[in-house]
Amino acid sequence: MMNFILGRSGSGKTAYIIDEIRKAVASGKRCLLLVPEQQTFISESMLADLPPSSALCFEVVTFSRLCTKIFAEYGGLIDSSASGGERDLIMWQSIREISSQLLEYGKVKTD
């Protein structure tokens, strides 16, 4: 399942995401954090204190890494001659096909 966390700056999105990731890792659930390419280092740094065993069930992925993971797991690796635009179209179609299973969250309440 994919969850979208939406809200204005300062509404607690990052704290909520980190808390949910920690809960998922503690219960052994598989968890991917999808971030833009430029956010990878920052996201990995925020979660650097997770136990080493969490690497078995948690990973920060970019759109291109996610695309590669999906093709490797479900349909073979994409030909290296495919352009970024072609990969984006394939990813968009995949997300569109599962859109009924995606959840969208609004503002996160913080105490």
Side-chain angles (χ1 to χ4, degrees), residues 78-97:
I78 190 168
D79 184 11
S80 61
S81 64
S83 70
E86 291 167 330
R87 288 191 300 263
D88 292 344
L89 286 172
I90 293 167
M91 181 57 72
W92 174 252
Q93 180 64 29
S94 300
I95 290 173
R96 199 175 87 177
E97 287 180 14

Side-chain angles (χ1 to χ4, degrees), residues 30-49:
R30 187 173 177 201
C31 183
L32 299 175
L33 176 60
L34 181 61
V35 298
E37 306 285 336
Q38 64 272 22
Q39 288 294 119
T40 307
F41 179 76
I42 293 167
S43 300
E44 288 173 343
S45 297
M46 288 188 314
L47 294 156
D49 62 336

Side-chain angles (χ1 to χ4, degrees), residues 15-33:
Y16 175 78
I17 290 168
I18 290 173
D19 186 50
E20 290 298 307
I21 289 170
R22 290 184 193 288
K23 288 178 194 173
V25 167
S27 64
K29 290 181 183 174
R30 187 173 177 201
C31 183
L32 299 175
L33 176 60

